Structure formats: C-alpha cells, structure tokens
Amino acid sequence: MNSTQHVDTLVIGGGQAGLAVSYQLQQRGIPHLVLDAAPRIGDAWRTRWDSLRLFTPARYDGLDGMPFPGPPDAWPTKDQMADYLASYAERFHLPVESGHRVDALRAAPDGDGYLVVSGDESFQARCVVVAMSNYQVPRIPAFADDLSQGIRQLHAAEYRNPEQLLPGTVLLVGAGNSGAEIAKDLAATHPVVVAGPSTGEVPGSATSFVSRHIVVHVLNRLVFPRIMSVDTPIGRRARPRIMSKGVPLIRVKSRELARLGVRRTGRVTGVDHGRPVVDGEPLDVADVVWCTGFSAGFDWIRLPVLDDATGEPVHDRGVVPGAPGLFFVGLHFLTSMSSAMVHGVGRDAARIAGLVASTSLGEPAQALAVVRTTAP
C-alpha cells in the first residue's frame, strides 16, 4: 500500500534555504511540510571538511527571527552552523521530516498541483518550493578514470582532513574557494599544487583590521546582495561569469597560499601514462582532490523546467514560467550573489513565501498541515 499525503505547500530541502522558506510560510499561516534527505537537520554542514568555517562572521549567519549565537565578529565552524539550523527548526517548531529523499517531482495525475515521490510515500501539493542549492552532484572530468590506480582521488565533497591522503604531493584541481581552503588545510602536511585559472578575489586580507571591520560589511550589506544583483546592470553582466567560473576568493587568498608554499599552475588538460598533465607536462603526484564543483543534480524533476544544456532550472527570480505554483529558493545567484549564502537566502524566501500566500486557496491558518490518505 502506498500512502499519499495532501498538503497545501511542500518544501523540498531542509537546509538553510528550506528552513528560511518554512519560517516565512509559517509567519503567513500557510500549511506546509518540509522534506529533507539527511538524517538530521544540518547534516549538509556536518559532512564537510573538518576545518571549514563560514565565509561570513556570526552577525551575518542567522536566519530571520533568530540571530546566530555568540560574538557577532566570530567566524562559526561548520558544526556550529549545523547545530544552529537544528536549533532554529526546533525553536519555531518547523514541520521538517528528515530522511525523506525525493525521487521524483511531477505534475499530479489529476492536474491539481504536483506529486512528489519519496520512496514508498507520495505527497500531493498545490505549491512546491525546491529549496536547494545547485551543488548536488560532484563533477569530475572523465579523464580521471585514466589516472594511475596508485593515485588517491577524492572530490572536495569527500575530503575531511589531511589524514585521508597518501604522503606526497597533492594536486588540487580547481582554484576557487574550496580549492584555496583545502590547500591551506593541507599545506602543513603535504606539498600542494593548485591547478586552474583564477576566479579572482575580493580585496584585502581576511585577518586585517580593514577587512574585518569595513570590507566584510561592505561586501555582505552592499556588494553581494545589492550591487551584484539581477536588478543592476553590473550584476546582470557578471552573473554568467560567476555562474560558470565560481565566486572570487573570499578568505584564503593567493598571497597567503604563496606564503604557505602552495604552487599555482594552469589547467589539468588530461592524463599521460597515468599522470595528470599540467601546463603540457605530466606531474608526479600522490593524491588528487577534485575541487571542480558540482552539477545541478535536478534530474529527479520530471517537468519541462530544466535547461537542456545545463540541467539548471529555468526561472525568473525563482518563479518558473509555465509551471504555476513551482518555485526555487537557494540557487546560486537566484537574484544576487548572496542568494545561496546564509545571510541572503531570507530575502528570497520571504518573497517566494509571499507569492505562495498570494495564490493560497484561503485555508485558515490553523488548518491541519497534512492530511493522510491511503491508496492502493
């Protein structure tokens, strides 16, 4: 027997984007349910590398209604962020069901909204908000299979600490923020080479007085949410490059990496007799960490709303043309550079929740969020 749950609005994803949307829906009295694949709220943060800290100080790391605890100028660890998200959901009694990986999102058979399938359960909803980043499936080049079996390979999503790697030179493929952060983490224990073109970097040193007390506020209050936005000419011009090449280095910069002895090279272009080819020459390495990003991973969306070439959702500020009641929150540069950042997701969540409320069927706020029925 398959069970079907009927809910006004279904939110897919229980990270910061999903919780931000849930809070905003709750404030508007919209009955809803949040499905999250992880066993616990915050696990997407807990499973990242051990030394990771957020790129923003605590004053910018809270969601609406609950500031991040602790000193506002501290840089939270990834586990502190995970615990904050769990506390946030508990404080506001957000209706999150963990351990529900979504297998398919399609139009409801009766034409009334959408059907979401998760294992043996299905959920029918008038509105669906996909509250996830487009960093779901690790992307590794095909020629990785040609590397020598003696070279240990990890994607950045699998990297936790230097103890995972073999002694010897580590090649980090990808020169964005993940590559820079992991390079710093490894520099004390391994010779490190970072391959790939520069993504640029924000000005200043993360540890300087000017950066800590001026630059960080300019970036997070003005540049990321307002200037680098789809609402400005400069933001619209920069968006395609940022979407394809990554965000400029924020905390670990090229000068610091050079001081730590990290070597920079051009792209990895292939494999020669089991060794990676860098700048036209094969390189002897013990390990390769692929900091090559992620593909969107939205192939479970069985609706004509994805770009055929990239697999990315086609949307206008999170609203999907031709799919009434389907929305996205948490995507990279949904409306600005801060859309996928903790301090920026709330603005998009509030706007989308307002659109959900504006199309509501008028059910009272105290209505039961979920009604369970059973079908063969």
Side-chain angles (χ1 to χ4, degrees), residues 16-345:
Q16 59 261 21
L19 298 184
V21 172
S22 180
Y23 173 85
Q24 294 294 340
L25 292 172
Q26 185 184 78
Q27 295 298 300
R28 291 162 174 78
I30 303 298
H32 69 283
L33 184 67
V34 182
L35 300 183
D36 189 44
R40 296 178 299 166
I41 294 171
D43 275 355
W45 286 96
R46 292 187 186 93
T47 55
R48 303 182 75 181
W49 64 86
D50 296 346
S51 65
L52 177 65
R53 289 180 178 269
L54 274 68
F55 291 133
T56 49
R59 71 171 72 247
Y60 295 109
D61 298 332
L63 298 175
D64 288 342
M66 181 176 164
F68 198 96
D73 293 328
W75 300 75
T77 68
K78 51 107 176 180
D79 290 329
Q80 289 172 331
M81 186 66 212
D83 292 342
Y84 167 81
L85 293 178
S87 298
Y88 186 85
E90 181 179 6
R91 174 175 176 177
F92 295 110
H93 307 288
L94 301 180
V96 180
E97 291 197 6
S98 298
H100 281 274
R101 180 173 297 279
V102 171
D103 301 311
L105 164 62
R106 56 173 64 99
D110 60 6
D112 184 14
Y114 299 94
L115 187 71
V116 173
V117 179
S118 175
D120 294 333
E121 293 188 273
S122 60
F123 304 81
Q124 187 164 343
R126 179 183 62 87
C127 290
V128 171
V129 182
V130 180
M132 301 168 60
S133 72
N134 35 351
Y135 310 133
Q136 300 299 321
V137 178
R139 187 169 54 220
I140 298 175
F143 60 72
D145 292 338
D146 298 327
L147 287 173
S148 167
Q149 293 186 0
I151 296 175
R152 180 162 294 174
Q153 298 187 56
L154 295 173
H155 189 272
E158 303 170 288
Y159 174 76
R160 299 292 176 268
N161 53 58
E163 286 71 31
Q164 290 174 287
L165 302 181
L166 299 172
T169 299
V170 180
L171 174 64
L172 296 174
V173 184
N177 281 285
S178 293
E181 296 270 340
I182 295 174
K184 180 180 178 181
D185 197 42
L186 289 169
T189 58
H190 292 74
V192 178
V193 178
V194 175
S198 171
T199 61
E201 51 189 67
V202 299
S205 166
T207 58
S208 71
F209 179 89
V210 171
S211 290
R212 288 185 293 111
H213 296 280
I214 299 176
V215 174
V216 69
H217 303 304
V218 172
L219 290 175
N220 292 298
R221 291 177 179 171
L222 179 64
V223 176
F224 291 162
R226 304 193 181 280
I227 294 177
M228 301 302 288
S229 161
V230 297
D231 294 324
T232 68
I234 188 173
R236 290 191 293 271
R237 286 196 301 270
R239 186 176 185 272
R241 183 187 64 80
I242 291 172
M243 291 287 290
S244 63
K245 296 186 178 180
V247 176
L249 299 184
I250 296 174
R251 182 169 50 216
V252 179
K253 312 291 182 58
S254 55
R255 181 177 296 180
E256 181 177 6
L257 293 178
R259 187 173 68 250
L260 293 171
V262 174
R263 176 185 161 199
R264 291 294 307 273
T265 71
R267 296 180 184 273
V268 175
T269 55
V271 176
D272 180 10
H273 293 87
R275 295 181 295 172
V277 176
V278 180
D279 292 336
E281 296 292 335
L283 183 67
D284 289 317
V285 299
D287 309 272
V288 173
V289 181
W290 299 102
C291 302
T292 41
F294 298 79
S295 59
F298 288 131
D299 55 348
W300 49 269
I301 299 179
R302 313 291 170 75
L303 296 163
V305 301
L306 304 178
D307 183 271
D308 291 337
T310 66
E312 299 278 354
V314 177
H315 66 91
D316 180 8
R317 294 172 169 82
V319 179
V320 181
L326 178 61
F327 306 96
F328 285 86
V329 173
L331 298 180
H332 184 38
F333 221 128
L334 185 90
T335 58
S336 72
M337 265 188 69
S338 65
S339 287
M341 301 177 184
V342 179
H343 71 275
V345 72

